[in-house]
Amino acid sequence: MSRVMVAAHDNKWVLGKDALVIYAKYTWIDNEPKFGVKIVLITERRPPFYVLNIALPVWCIVLFAFISFQFDAAELGEHLQVTLTMVLTLVAFKLSVSTAKYVPITSNMTLMDWFMVAAFVVVALVALQNFLAFRLLTSVPC
């Protein structure tokens, strides 16, 4: 069976291998014959869609947080301005991804949720490193 797009307008799903299963049942209910058909479609998500539209932009946002290392260590304001801007950008991106329903709403943590958490942690660690570098530089007398 060849792969067929389930919804051509969003390119997020494809039919899986052996995707179509049909069950037929013939029974008698109240002395009348009843015939029922159950059709099951097994679908799979397409990973390139999520890599290009979610993971790659998040990865770029995290890399932009490292621009703060280009500033002088004594300029804490510039460091935190860049890193906190990246935190706000990640929050806005996560919100837009959630409202666009690119990822399913579940109570379980998906792989994409863990990826977003890791992105927040990396940006928070960059901000912490910037603060610690500033404190070490300003606390040591020259």
Side-chain angles (χ1 to χ4, degrees):
M1 174 183 238
S2 64
R3 296 210 163 209
V4 179
M5 292 303 302
V6 174
H9 64 279
D10 65 5
N11 286 335
K12 293 189 290 186
W13 298 90
V14 293
L15 287 176
K17 188 176 181 181
D18 301 324
L20 184 61
V21 180
I22 300 175
Y23 300 100
K25 186 177 181 182
Y26 184 77
T27 60
W28 288 84
I29 299 176
D30 295 331
N31 293 328
E32 292 184 23
K34 299 290 182 183
F35 183 74
V37 175
K38 181 178 180 181
I39 300 174
V40 178
L41 290 176
I42 301 170
T43 59
E44 299 172 354
R45 288 189 185 266
R46 295 183 64 196
F49 175 83
Y50 294 97
V51 170
L52 291 175
N53 292 311
I54 299 175
L56 186 63
V58 169
W59 184 72
C60 289
I61 293 168
V62 170
L63 284 181
F64 289 148
F66 288 95
I67 291 174
S68 67
F69 292 146
Q70 295 300 315
F71 298 116
D72 185 24
E75 300 173 354
L76 180 64
E78 285 80 7
H79 286 281
L80 292 181
Q81 181 180 4
V82 170
T83 54
L84 293 179
T85 300
M86 293 306 112
V87 168
L88 291 175
T89 305
L90 280 172
V91 168
F93 188 78
K94 171 71 173 152
L95 193 62
S96 69
V97 165
S98 297
T99 57
K101 298 190 177 160
Y102 284 141
V103 292
I105 298 172
T106 64
S107 60
N108 299 332
M109 291 285 284
T110 63
L111 185 60
M112 194 59 65
D113 291 330
W114 285 111
F115 182 73
M116 291 296 288
V117 167
F120 280 111
V121 167
V122 169
V123 174
L125 288 174
V126 169
L128 180 65
Q129 188 277 336
N130 290 333
F131 176 73
L132 292 175
F134 172 76
R135 292 294 288 175
L136 287 173
L137 184 70
T138 57
S139 66
V140 176
C142 295

